[in-house]
Amino acid sequence: MSFGLSKRLVEARKAFITSASLSLAGVVIEGLALTVFSSIILITDFFHWTLDTIVEFMMLFSIYYASRVGKKFPWSILIIEFSTSLIVMIVLLAFYGWVMLDYVNNLVATYEVSTTDPWISLVTVAGGFITFTAFLIQRRNFKKYGLEILRIDYTHALMDTLSSFFATVGIVATALTRSHSLEIFFTIILLVFIIHSVLELFKDSFKVLSGSNVDAELTSRITLSLEKELFGVRLKTVEARKIGSFYIVGVDVFLDPETPIYKAHAIKRKIVRLARKESELIYHVDVRMFPDPLLRKSGRRKNP
């Protein structure tokens, strides 16, 4: 691979800007369609679009911070981001529950389907075209830059294309047959996609907010590697934290207070290189150095 990691991260950030913009365009298109048409299938697909767009922007912000190579990863900002996303998700789910309850009450009262116009399917076809375009873009970027997060994103886009296909078939079939069973069946299929997105978002948010996103196995491997390869350096803490599909590693070390600056930089570069050897999903390594208190106490530090 001819691109350095920092270059690949910057390009991945650009790729996610495109992907998030396409996702937002899908939300706008379906949102505008809902001002004209009334269909529980279209509404369900719209909520799926909205949740996926939240995930896209979360991944975009995360990769943006990870691409700022050499700068400390801002966990406080990320916590605010995940908290806000979690609140928005809960509000959306509550609103969708209210919409679904209204649909059921209307179905019991009138025994009529909500999807009556097959031309609504043009909206979901457009959505499928958008997600398939995102799939092609991110797959091309993955082949070019080799970052795992791009592969995960294009796989997700392919799943969203499948969701749009089911939505399209459901709208056409329901509108032509006026079958309650078909409308409910395809709505449930789309709900499966929503549940998947919700669970992923909730899981990632909960882990970040609770601090349980530390990967013990990867942390252990990095620690063993550093202990084996570093000399004259005492480890303070090592943590590999997972954000969505990639990792941010934090390494704190103790150094001799009289270590020259050029040697400290060399040690930092070595720590970053050794950590990244343990997983291709490690996109950023924060290294902090502290004067070794044991060396201070032993009197090794010279007086000025």
Side-chain angles (χ1 to χ4, degrees):
M1 192 167 299
S2 60
F3 293 93
L5 180 62
S6 60
K7 173 65 175 177
R8 287 185 286 147
L9 287 171
V10 170
E11 294 302 324
R13 183 178 70 194
K14 295 177 182 178
F16 269 97
I17 290 174
T18 301
S19 181
S21 298
L22 288 172
S23 188
L24 183 60
V27 172
V28 171
I29 290 172
E30 293 209 347
L32 291 174
L34 285 173
T35 63
V36 180
F37 303 104
S38 177
S39 167
I40 190 62
I41 296 177
L42 183 61
I43 290 174
T44 305
D45 195 50
F46 170 76
F47 274 92
H48 180 215
W49 266 103
T50 304
L51 290 172
D52 281 352
T53 301
I54 292 174
V55 173
E56 282 289 334
F57 276 95
M58 287 174 65
M59 294 178 73
L60 170 60
F61 289 135
S62 299
I63 201 69
Y64 164 73
Y65 291 122
S67 68
R68 297 161 73 241
V69 177
K71 296 185 179 181
K72 184 172 176 59
F73 195 84
W75 287 105
S76 57
I77 294 177
L78 193 70
I79 289 174
I80 293 173
E81 175 192 335
F82 272 81
S83 300
T84 303
S85 300
L86 196 59
I87 293 172
V88 171
M89 180 191 71
I90 293 173
V91 172
L92 285 173
L93 289 177
F95 184 66
Y96 180 76
W98 176 79
V99 171
M100 179 60 71
L101 183 61
D102 184 67
Y103 165 74
V104 172
N105 290 334
N106 184 70
L107 183 63
V108 172
T110 65
Y111 206 65
E112 294 181 357
V113 296
S114 64
T115 309
T116 58
D117 189 345
W119 292 107
I120 301 176
S121 60
L122 293 177
V123 178
T124 52
V125 168
F129 176 78
I130 290 174
T131 54
F132 190 69
T133 300
F135 160 74
L136 293 176
I137 291 173
Q138 294 295 61
R139 186 179 65 170
R140 181 191 63 193
N141 286 322
F142 172 70
K143 290 180 178 179
K144 189 174 183 180
Y145 303 113
L147 292 176
E148 184 68 12
I149 193 171
L150 294 171
R151 185 192 66 79
I152 292 171
D153 195 49
Y154 84 65
T155 302
H156 188 79
L158 188 60
M159 293 297 295
D160 288 345
T161 303
L162 181 62
S163 174
S164 295
F165 170 77
F166 282 121
T168 301
V169 173
I171 288 172
V172 173
T174 302
L176 294 179
T177 64
R178 303 299 173 93
S179 169
H180 308 89
S181 299
L182 284 176
E183 186 171 56
I184 294 172
F185 173 72
F186 282 102
T187 299
I188 291 174
I189 289 178
L190 296 179
L191 276 174
V192 172
F193 287 95
I194 290 180
I195 291 171
H196 176 265
S197 296
V198 167
L199 289 179
E200 286 297 313
L201 181 57
F202 182 80
K203 181 180 68 176
D204 291 340
S205 298
F206 176 78
K207 286 184 176 180
V208 170
L209 296 176
S210 65
S212 60
N213 58 335
V214 175
D215 188 305
E217 181 183 352
L218 181 57
T219 297
S220 177
R221 293 208 315 266
I222 295 172
T223 301
L224 291 174
S225 176
L226 294 179
E227 289 177 342
K228 181 179 179 181
E229 298 292 337
L230 293 179
F231 302 98
V233 178
R234 193 160 60 89
L235 294 180
K236 182 181 180 184
T237 58
V238 178
E239 286 186 339
R241 293 182 177 272
K242 190 173 185 180
I243 307 174
S245 58
F246 66 97
Y247 292 91
I248 300 296
V249 176
V251 180
D252 291 352
V253 298
F254 289 121
L255 292 183
D256 186 327
E258 295 188 358
T259 301
I261 295 297
Y262 75 92
K263 286 188 177 181
H265 281 295
I267 291 171
K268 178 179 179 180
R269 288 194 297 270
K270 187 173 184 179
I271 291 173
V272 172
R273 176 172 53 82
L274 290 171
R276 283 180 173 153
K277 283 177 62 178
E278 296 302 320
S279 173
E280 64 175 358
L281 296 181
I282 296 175
Y283 291 163
H284 190 79
V285 182
D286 285 330
V287 181
R288 297 192 302 173
M289 298 179 174
F290 303 89
D292 194 330
L294 296 182
L295 297 181
R296 284 178 179 271
K297 292 178 182 180
S298 67
R300 285 184 53 187
R301 185 172 183 176
K302 299 178 182 180
N303 293 323

